[in-house]
């Protein structure tokens, strides 16, 4: 699999710290289960976090009178992480298999192991719901503000133009699309923040299926998008 688009540093850090929403953590876990590069970066980020923690502990124990310049925000973040429960989708569980779960029934190799726990091993066996001609969805789960869902869009169709109030993570599972950011194909992840406005167009000759997670409602930029937003629940 030739992966060209990866997770950004802020997302990786939040994932390691366990501060992502459940849906976004599922997208990250799914991507790193098939991307050697991002998996290595997760391990490096974990090592940096561990080293920072060790340094803080040893500094405090060796010389309590020393003036240690540790950024208070960083300290609060580390302490907050220690207090938090383990994320539902943890690094260990996401990496336990390393490869799409070839043992699960009907696995076609397109469904990363962390996702197969939720939908099974075949994209063709998903109970798709029709949104409009050429658009289908399946909600993996809903969250307080965001959503985690599978989208299936027919060739030549495009998503209505929109921006974001928060972050949007998209993992391509089948097919491809192009937008203002670039072209995305199987294995690629689009890691977008609130600065990006885009209109993805399915540019291949097969359905584009992707796993999308948001942590805030989208910001549609056309009247039609705003009108149908309550229906799409994006
Ligand atoms: Zn990657």
């Amino acid at each position: 699999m030739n992966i060209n688009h990866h997770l950004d540093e802020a997302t990786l850090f939040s994932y390691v710290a366990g501060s992502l929403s459940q849906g976004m953590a599922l997208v990250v876990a799914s991507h790193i289960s098939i991307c050697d590069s991002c998996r290595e970066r997760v391990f490096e980020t974990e090592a940096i976090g561990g080293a920072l923690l060790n340094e803080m502990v040893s500094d405090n124990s060796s010389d309590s009178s020393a003036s240690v310049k540790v950024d208070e925000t960083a300290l609060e973040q580390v302490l907050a992480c220690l207090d938090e429960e383990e994320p539902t989708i943890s690094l260990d569980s996401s990496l336990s298999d390393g490869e799409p779960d070839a043992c699960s029934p009907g696995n076609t190799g397109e469904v990363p192991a962390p996702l197969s726990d939720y939908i099974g091993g075949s994209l063709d066996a998903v109970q798709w719901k029709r949104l409009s001609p050429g658009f289908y969805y399946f909600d993996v789960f809903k969250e307080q503000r965001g959503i985690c869902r599978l989208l299936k869009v027919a060739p030549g169709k495009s998503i209505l133009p929109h921006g974001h109030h928060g972050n949007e993570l998209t993992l391509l599972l089948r097919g491809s699309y192009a937008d203002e950011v670039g072209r995305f194909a199987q294995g690629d992840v689009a890691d977008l923040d609130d600065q990006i406005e885009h209109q993805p167009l399915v540019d291949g000759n097969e359905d584009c299926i992707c796993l999308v997670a948001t942590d805030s409602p989208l910001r549609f930029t056309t009247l039609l998008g705003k009108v149908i937003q309550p229906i799409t629940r994006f």
Side-chain angles (χ1 to χ4, degrees):
M1 191 180 301
N2 184 22
I3 299 176
N4 293 308
H5 297 276
H6 301 272
L7 297 158
D8 70 27
E9 296 297 333
T11 302
L12 285 178
F13 183 86
S14 297
Y15 177 73
V16 169
S19 59
L20 288 179
S21 69
Q22 188 179 8
M24 303 194 97
L26 176 59
V27 177
V28 172
S30 296
H31 178 73
I32 65 175
S33 75
I34 57 175
C35 178
D36 293 341
S37 170
C38 285
R39 188 161 59 245
E40 183 64 28
R41 291 165 65 213
V42 166
F43 289 138
E44 290 171 359
T45 305
E46 277 199 317
I48 292 168
L52 174 64
L53 190 58
N54 283 336
E55 191 169 321
M56 288 163 52
V57 170
S58 66
D59 279 345
N60 283 341
S61 60
S62 62
D63 184 1
S64 60
S65 66
S67 176
V68 182
K69 298 289 286 183
V70 176
D71 181 82
E72 290 185 6
T73 305
L75 177 59
E76 287 170 5
Q77 287 176 342
V78 173
L79 294 177
C81 294
L82 292 177
D83 288 336
E84 284 176 0
E85 295 179 0
E86 282 290 303
T88 306
I89 301 162
S90 69
L91 176 62
D92 289 342
S93 66
S94 69
L95 296 180
S96 59
D97 294 314
E99 299 285 340
D101 186 359
C103 295
S104 67
N107 191 298
T108 59
E110 297 174 303
V111 181
L115 179 60
S116 71
D117 291 343
Y118 291 87
I119 68 165
S122 171
L123 295 176
D124 296 315
V126 170
Q127 300 293 305
W128 296 102
K129 295 176 182 173
R130 186 174 177 271
L131 198 57
S132 62
F135 291 85
Y136 299 84
Y137 73 97
F138 174 79
D139 285 341
V140 181
F141 46 77
K142 299 166 191 166
E143 301 186 80
Q144 195 166 11
R145 284 180 54 77
I147 198 161
C148 181
R149 71 172 31 156
L150 288 168
L151 266 185
K152 181 167 76 168
V153 183
K157 297 283 186 180
S158 63
I159 308 287
L160 290 168
H162 63 274
H164 313 91
H165 290 294
N167 299 299
E168 178 185 89
L169 274 180
T170 303
L171 174 63
L172 269 286
L173 303 173
R174 178 190 291 175
S176 62
Y177 74 76
D179 66 3
E180 289 78 351
V181 179
R183 184 168 188 273
F184 295 81
Q186 188 184 31
D188 284 333
V189 67
D191 192 345
L192 307 181
D193 60 21
D194 59 3
Q195 302 299 307
I196 300 289
E197 288 187 5
H198 66 149
Q199 183 175 18
L201 168 69
V202 176
D203 65 348
N205 54 11
E206 63 178 339
D207 287 338
C208 177
I209 299 180
C210 50
L211 175 67
V212 187
T214 58
D215 58 9
S216 299
L218 300 186
R219 180 166 46 81
F220 284 99
T221 54
T222 63
L223 179 59
L224 177 60
K226 291 171 184 171
V227 167
I228 68 168
Q229 187 162 24
I231 303 170
T232 63
R233 290 177 290 117
F234 258 123

